[in-house]
Every structure is written in structure tokens, then in C-alpha cells.
Amino acid sequence: MVSNELFDEPPYASDEVELYRRTLGQFHQWLVSMAQEAYEMNYGIVKRWK
């Protein structure tokens, strides 16, 4: 799943965008909880979370 830097941005004025960010964050957490492995990629550097 790719979400780029959506969570690094300051809060948006739009309630819809904030709802989207919150929902996507919850989905990320659920997806990682179901996965056997989870990785984060930043500027070509891989970090294994799980």
C-alpha cells in the first residue's frame, strides 16, 4: 500500500480530508495487524516493522 507522506502533513481545514486520513490510518493499522510482515520505505531505505 502506498500512501506517500499523507500523515506527515499538518491538519487540513477540510473535514472530509481529515476523515480520509483518519480512515486510512485505521486501515493501515488493521492491515499490519493481519500481515505476517510489514515494511516502511523512506527515500529508498527499508525499515521492517514486523
Side-chain angles (χ1 to χ4, degrees), residues 16 28 50:
E16 291 84 4
H28 279 183
K50 179 179 175 184

Side-chain angles (χ1 to χ4, degrees), residues 5 8 40-47:
E5 298 173 1
D8 295 338
E40 178 181 0
M41 175 81 81
N42 274 324
Y43 302 103
I45 300 169
V46 178
K47 179 176 181 177

